[in-house]
Amino acid sequence: MRICGIKLRHDGAIALVEDGRLIFCVEQEKRGNNYRYQAIDNLDAIVAVLAEHGLDPRDVDQFVVDGGWWREGFQVLSGAEPVTLKWASYAERDAEGLLDSR
């Protein structure tokens, strides 16, 4: 199973885990001389990193997006199209089912 973990905001990063083993982790600030603490503001960056490792998004079984404490979604671009990704909040309102997938 391939899982792609994505941290969108401060210190954006993309990681791929395959069968429990880390295959790669790429920090956005290290790509193309980006600014320190660079966020990922366009999903095309994820597609590009996967392609650099010989993968297509269809090769990934599950994408996991890091959440945020201040809201339950984040607006990014997909190419030129704005999209809102929903995520779980850092502050859980109810401890029941804490580890359930959102």
Side-chain angles (χ1 to χ4, degrees):
M1 171 173 264
R2 286 184 181 139
I3 301 170
C4 181
I6 303 163
K7 182 167 189 315
L8 291 172
R9 297 303 305 143
H10 181 86
D11 284 333
I14 302 155
L16 187 81
V17 175
E18 186 171 2
D19 298 328
R21 188 173 147 242
L22 179 65
I23 303 302
F24 66 80
C25 181
V26 176
E27 295 174 329
Q28 191 66 4
E29 69 183 36
K30 304 285 195 303
R31 298 176 43 79
N33 202 26
N34 282 328
Y35 290 109
R36 193 168 185 203
Y37 311 121
Q38 181 74 38
I40 296 172
D41 56 2
N42 196 313
L43 300 178
D44 288 357
I46 299 161
V47 175
V49 167
L50 289 172
E52 289 168 7
H53 290 86
L55 297 167
D56 183 271
R58 291 173 289 219
D59 297 327
V60 176
D61 298 300
Q62 186 173 16
F63 288 89
V64 179
V65 180
D66 183 36
W69 60 270
W70 70 98
R71 56 184 170 199
E72 293 181 358
F74 181 69
Q75 189 161 14
V76 293
L77 295 174
S78 179
E81 184 75 24
V83 295
T84 300
L85 296 179
K86 293 184 179 181
W87 60 30
S89 172
Y90 285 158
E92 295 297 331
R93 294 182 186 98
D94 182 11
E96 186 68 31
L98 184 62
L99 297 178
D100 291 347
S101 176
R102 302 280 186 232

